DNA sequence: TATAGTGTACTATTTAGATAGTACAGTTCG
DNA sequence: CGAACTGTACTATCTAAATAGTACACTATA
């Protein structure tokens, strides 16, 4: 039990990211129901209030919607989910480039890094 | 003025990372003095106490040392700095791989990502 | 109709992070 | 010596995040 949270970042933000990833991976289909706040809280080992906050923010972003008394569901807009996948991939790429750039590596070191990534993906 | 901090992460951790990056880039040489807590606080627009905490943690890690009444200095151990560069690059790479993996991209999408990175580095 | 499962709205408490302000001891240098 | 720097050590206050507990309105279903 217990989700591997990064202790240096707010849990509710990490829950938001996890829900988005599950939808982007297709683990939850468009219009599909996400776990109830109580279930996910138990699954992740956190307080239900924290999950509720994550769902509230996700709804404000329009990524999920709620049916009162029934549950919370991922948006039915498939393009919205694809857009999220693209956005997450793009920000991961930019964050990586920025971090590497801040280290001032030389060409050889960058090439070596690239080689390792290719190795992982081949 | 004002350093571009990530509001979702503790400032003192980001200051620690910034000091390490400056040393890794060679901006501060081995044994070189880092800014005084008051100067860096002014430069970054934060409270001196926050910078002091970052320096304290950096000293616990052995990355810097202090001379009472004089200042704080980056370790003279060049290997220690190189090790830090390697560690930061490696963790950036792994974080990137993990993030991409969590999105469930297909081979084409991964190849496209790789192409963009190569483009940036060529 | 009762029961269980939804989201949601509270209050209260604790903790970590950040700020503000003050103070002090050690060092350097004019 | 004295002034201007260093790091460091306090106290106090504020805020965001997280927890715990309770409660309520809504919905589906046995």
């Amino acid at each position: 039990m217990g989700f591997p949270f990064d202790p240096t970042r707010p849990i509710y933000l990490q829950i938001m990211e996890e829900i988005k990833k599950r939808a982007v991976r297709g683990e939850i289909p468009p219009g599909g129901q996400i776990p109830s706040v109580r279930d996910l809280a138990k699954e992740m080992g956190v307080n239900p209030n924290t999950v509720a906050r994550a769902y509230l923010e996700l709804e404000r972003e329009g990524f999920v919607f709620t049916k009162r008394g029934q549950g919370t569901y991922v948006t039915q807009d498939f393009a919205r989910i694809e857009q999220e996948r693209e956005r997450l991939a793009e920000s991961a790429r930019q964050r990586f480039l920025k971090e590497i750039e801040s280290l001032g590596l030389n060409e050889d070191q960058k090439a070596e890094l690239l080689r390792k990534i290719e190795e992982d993906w081949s």
Side-chain angles (χ1 to χ4, degrees), chain A residues 13-120:
Chain A
L13 286 179
Q14 300 181 58
I15 294 177
M16 291 175 67
E17 291 160 3
E18 174 62 18
I19 294 298
K20 285 178 178 175
K21 286 175 183 173
R22 290 186 185 184
V24 158
R25 283 197 300 262
E27 198 170 320
I28 306 174
Q33 185 171 12
I34 69 180
S36 76
V37 290
R38 293 173 178 82
D39 280 355
L40 192 58
K42 188 165 290 184
E43 173 190 333
M44 291 184 161
V46 299
N47 193 283
N49 293 336
T50 307
V51 177
R53 172 162 186 193
Y55 285 13
L56 192 65
E57 300 285 343
L58 283 171
E59 188 168 27
R60 281 190 197 159
E61 289 186 6
F63 193 78
V64 304
F65 63 97
T66 62
K67 295 183 185 174
R68 307 192 56 173
Q70 295 186 16
T72 307
Y73 305 80
V74 171
T75 177
Q76 293 158 331
D77 182 359
F78 186 63
R80 177 73 178 77
I81 298 176
E82 276 200 318
Q83 167 198 338
E84 198 62 41
R85 173 178 50 66
E86 182 57 34
R87 184 194 299 174
L88 289 173
E90 180 60 16
S91 75
R93 176 184 141 259
Q94 290 192 356
R95 188 159 43 239
F96 175 68
L97 286 177
K98 203 171 176 183
E99 282 184 32
I100 295 305
E101 211 54 38
S102 72
L103 299 181
L105 303 192
N106 61 37
E107 297 308 312
D108 288 347
Q109 292 166 328
K110 287 183 182 176
E112 172 67 6
L113 261 176
L114 214 54
R115 195 194 58 74
K116 285 185 183 176
I117 296 178
E118 283 169 350
E119 184 178 286
D120 237 78

